[in-house]
């Protein structure tokens, strides 16, 4: 057998097995980028050696065989895949191919759509009612998953309005929004449940459940991007217009879809979406261009596994393969020990990654990862890069197990792991230099006391030389001490002293936040200050009383309570707020007035925030609403006064509409807040 033939056969076997893992088990063992590289190699070899072509080759097939646990559904029209382009040149070649085939000289209209990373489904509506839902399967036979799809809030069970065809087959993508995915995995990690590598696997795994109650609990959403077999002639003649019709009938259509002219329009669309990729509330792996006119689509037709009238322009992959060189253990502000993977540098989604988090000991065990392994790193959005998988078949003979330390790598105190908690912590407390550094950095950070000029390097020196043990020590530093530090002149020392002096006048919320009490962020600190009005009152508060503060639950209440019961913490707080004449640091703030009821125009109203807000953070919106007296709840009920729906709002928005709860968008919220004198 020739080398080429052997390579082709090996590639086919490998890709078949990857397909099985991906489509049937929803658990791929290699990232898409690796799969795509092997597929491209296979396609190139097959093109160069047409005599070796085989209709059974994975290059000629769509998806994977349906599994027998679900009823089989024959697709009236095949559900195809998409061809890919990876570069501007390939995009130009695509446009040229299409124009040549149509014998056209002037630019065509294209419908541009985000390529959502989920899984394709077909929904059949008869007389406006959802009667069947199926996966793509192998393209001609899919899996019947009607019951599961019925649990997805974004999928209407009944079409709105009128004029829809008697039989309408809609096609689209079931996906898992980023926020829901992160939250689900976080919960799973805490409870030892199943953790998914990425939102696409999570969506596929959630949808292909035998028990639809499981699917119902998963944060799935849906956007449609086309139609299948339609009976009746109610539909428009252009793809983009059809999508608008679908939207009118209550089917969700992605708001990013646009109609453009020619390759230049496609390229501009691609660049815009790529630039905003990390800010979209869902994951995409590229954009799709479709010839807009149906008559032209028909003329172009399709090849084995994909239409000729569409192509996917892929984005840089968010998952890549690289080698795990070693693991370091970092100590955080609260002593949490985080294993950090040191990787052979690899470009992921446009950035070179050489560190990734391994979360905790449970995660290392779950992944079964060893030093020397080939691992899958994932970098998506602003989440720090993580190791999400190991390619076991590439494990070298000399791979070494990862040993979780039992003593702190910085202060040598014992590391403790509390029953039922995933996180291991150094017990050194503020004696641990690592924790001290983090605590002081946090204390000085912008949203805390905002001490300008007190950077990481400086904090390290001050702690290492034992000039600073607690935040209070900062305020006793002398010009002399500071000027004696590395890379510090007289001038910058004086500047820092001035900044420290300025920081003495602060606000109670900033002060509470700066203390670095576990799980007390800015919003909670603000609520505490508003509720108790004085530091003394917060320090004296019992768990019960703390629970009355908006946004404070059992866990946070206990953290706050125990923090102020520690003699060491009491001492530091007293030192910080004692007057300077008495040898204290002299931190002070204007008294907070009890907010009169009249100044709480939204008292008695309950708001729910959902979707992505662009101009202010969820926390800021919440704090602003609370400041005006409103309650902010996590779920929509008949008692909700107002839902604020940001971009890509999902189930909460649907629920609000069902219950007739008023909905406003981000502009509406900003206008409301501004009307009550709130300023960002
Ligand atoms: N990691 C692995 O082991 C492995 C195995 C098999 C496949 N894969 C991945 O899957 C890809 C092949 O899968 P595929 O055949 O589903 O192709 P594809 O994902 O490249 O493209 C087709 C699919 O795109 C989706 N899609 C999203 N938005 C769309 C839109 N607006 N319009 C039309 N379709 C849209 C649909 O689900 C459609 O079926 C490979 O390129 C690879 O990245 C990975
Ligand atoms: Zn330590």
């Amino acid at each position: 057998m020739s080398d080429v033939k052997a390579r082709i056969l090996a590639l086919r076997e490998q890709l078949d097995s990857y397909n099985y893992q991906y489509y049937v088990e929803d658990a791929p063992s290699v990232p898409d980028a690796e799969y795509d590289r092997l597929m491209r190699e296979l396609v190139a070899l097959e093109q160069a050696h047409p005599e070796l072509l085989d209709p059974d080759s994975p290059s000629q097939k769509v998806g994977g065989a349906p599994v027998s646990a679900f009823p089989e559904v024959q697709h009236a029209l095949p559900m195809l895949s998409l061809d890919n382009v990876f570069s501007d040149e390939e995009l130009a070649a695509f446009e040229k191919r299409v124009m040549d085939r149509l014998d056209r000289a002037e630019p065509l209209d294209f419908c541009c759509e985000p390529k959502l990373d989920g899984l394709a489904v077909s929904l059949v509506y008869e007389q406006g009612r959802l009667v069947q839902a199926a996966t793509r399967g192998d393209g001609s036979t899919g899996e019947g998953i009607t019951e599961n799809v019925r649990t997805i809030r974004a999928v209407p069970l009944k079409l709105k309005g009128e004029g829809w065809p008697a039989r309408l087959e809609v096609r689209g993508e079931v996906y898992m929004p980023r926020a829901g995915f992160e939250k689900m995995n976080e919960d799973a990690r805490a409870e030892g449940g199943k953790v998914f590598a990425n939102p696409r696997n999570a969506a596929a795994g959630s949808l292909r459940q035998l028990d639809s109650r499981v699917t119902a609990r998963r944060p799935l959403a849906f956007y449609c991007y086309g139609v299948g077999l339609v009976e009746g002639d109610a539909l428009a003649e252009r793809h983009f217009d059809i999508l608008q019709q679908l939207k009118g009938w209550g089917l969700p259509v992605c708001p990013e879809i646009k109609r453009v002219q020619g390759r230049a329009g496609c390229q501009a669309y691609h660049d815009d979406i790529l630039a905003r990729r990390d800010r979209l509330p869902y994951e995409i792996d590229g954009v799709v261009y479709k010839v807009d006119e149906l008559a032209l689509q028909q003329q172009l037709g399709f090849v084995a596994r994909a239409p000729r009238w569409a192509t996917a322009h892929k984005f840089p992959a968010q998952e890549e393969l690289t080698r795990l060189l070693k693991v370091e253990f970092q100590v955080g502000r609260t002593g949490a020990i985080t294993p950090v993977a040191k990787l052979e540098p690899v470009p992921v989604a446009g950035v070179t990654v050489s560190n990734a988090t391994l979360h905790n000991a449970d995660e290392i065990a779950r992944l079964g990862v060893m030093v020397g392994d080939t691992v899958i790193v994932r970098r998506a959005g602003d989440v720090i890069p993580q190791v999400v998988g190991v390619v076991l078949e590439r494990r070298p003979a000399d791979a070494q197990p990862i040993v979780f330390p039992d003593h702190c790598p910085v202060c040598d105190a014992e590391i403790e792991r509390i029953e039922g908690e995933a996180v291991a912590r150094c017990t050194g407390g503020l004696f641990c230099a690592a924790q001290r550094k983090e605590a002081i950095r946090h204390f000085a950070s912008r949203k805390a006391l905002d001490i300008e000029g007190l950077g990481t390097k400086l904090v390290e020196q001050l702690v290492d030389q034992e000039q600073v043990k607690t935040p209070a020590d900062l305020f006793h530093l002398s010009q002399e001490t500071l000027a004696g530090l590395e890379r510090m002149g007289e001038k910058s020392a004086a500047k820092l002293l001035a900044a420290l002096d300025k920081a003495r006048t602060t606000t109670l919320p900033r002060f509470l936040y700066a203390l670095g009490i576990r799980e007390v962020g800015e919003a909670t600190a603000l609520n505490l200050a508003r509720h108790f009005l004085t530091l003394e009152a917060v320090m004296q508060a019992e768990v019960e009383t703390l629970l009355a503060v908006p946004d404070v639950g059992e866990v946070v209440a206990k953290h706050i309570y125990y923090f102020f019961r520690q003699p060491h913490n009491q001492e530091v707080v007293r030192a910080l707020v004692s007057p300077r004449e008495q040898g204290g640091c002299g931190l002070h703030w204007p008294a907070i007035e009890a907010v009169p009821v009249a100044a709480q125009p939204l008292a008695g109203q309950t708001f729910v925030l959902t979707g992505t807000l662009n101009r202010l953070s969820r926390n800021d919106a919440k704090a602003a609403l609370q400041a005006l007296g409103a309650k902010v709840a996590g779920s929509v009920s008949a008692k909700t006064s107002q839902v604020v729906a940001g971009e890509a709002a999902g189930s909460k928005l649907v629920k609000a509409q069902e219950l007739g709860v008023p909905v406003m968008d981000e502009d509406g919220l900003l206008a409301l807040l501004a009307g009550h004198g709130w300023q960002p």
Side-chain angles (χ1 to χ4, degrees), residues 331 408 410-413 426 428 432 435:
V331 190
C408 174
V410 175
C411 73
D412 208 35
C426 160
C432 174
Q435 291 186 52

Side-chain angles (χ1 to χ4, degrees), residues 18-19 22-23 28 30-32 35-36 80-82 84 113-116 119-120 136 173 225 288 290 305 314:
Y18 288 157
N19 276 339
Y22 183 90
Y23 291 111
V30 292
D32 291 353
Y35 177 94
D36 291 344
L80 297 175
S81 178
L82 286 169
N84 293 318
E113 312 174 0
K115 185 167 182 294
L116 294 147
L119 74 162
R136 192 179 66 176
E173 198 87 346
Y225 48 63
V288 185
K290 298 174 180 172
R305 58 187 295 279
K314 290 261 200 156

Side-chain angles (χ1 to χ4, degrees), residues 68-226:
S68 58
F70 298 98
E72 282 189 3
V73 170
Q74 298 298 325
H75 296 303
L77 290 174
M79 288 182 78
L80 297 175
S81 178
L82 286 169
D83 274 340
N84 293 318
V85 301
F86 285 81
S87 65
D88 304 358
E89 295 75 49
E90 289 179 2
L91 170 59
F94 164 74
E95 186 194 40
K96 182 167 187 312
R97 258 194 328 271
V98 168
M99 289 174 56
D100 286 353
R101 237 179 204 276
L102 295 172
D103 201 14
R104 288 271 286 240
E106 66 282 16
L108 294 164
D109 282 348
F110 288 99
C111 184
C112 300
E113 312 174 0
K115 185 167 182 294
L116 294 147
D117 211 2
L119 74 162
V121 293
S122 139
L123 309 179
V124 177
Y125 288 88
E126 276 173 10
Q127 313 303 337
R129 286 179 183 278
L130 177 68
V131 296
Q132 183 187 76
T135 64
R136 192 179 66 176
D138 64 7
S140 50
T141 309
E143 299 150 333
I145 45 156
T146 315
E147 284 317 303
N148 294 355
V149 166
R150 293 176 73 94
T151 70
I152 302 174
R153 293 222 174 231
V155 174
L157 302 180
K158 233 178 110 216
L159 298 180
K160 277 202 318 192
E162 51 195 38
W164 19 262
R167 182 192 194 274
L168 172 65
E169 182 192 348
V170 179
R171 288 175 177 181
E173 198 87 346
V174 168
Y175 67 97
M176 192 175 283
R178 224 191 273 278
F181 167 73
E182 299 296 347
K183 167 115 189 11
M184 193 179 90
N185 265 359
E186 225 171 82
D187 293 349
R189 256 187 215 112
E191 293 156 16
K194 179 160 171 54
V195 176
F196 289 97
N198 55 47
R200 129 89 221 174
N201 294 148
S206 299
L207 193 57
R208 299 171 71 247
Q209 286 284 334
L210 297 180
D211 181 350
S212 56
R213 285 169 305 183
V214 177
T215 310
R217 287 196 295 268
R218 301 284 172 81
L220 293 175
F222 172 76
Y223 274 139
C224 52
Y225 48 63

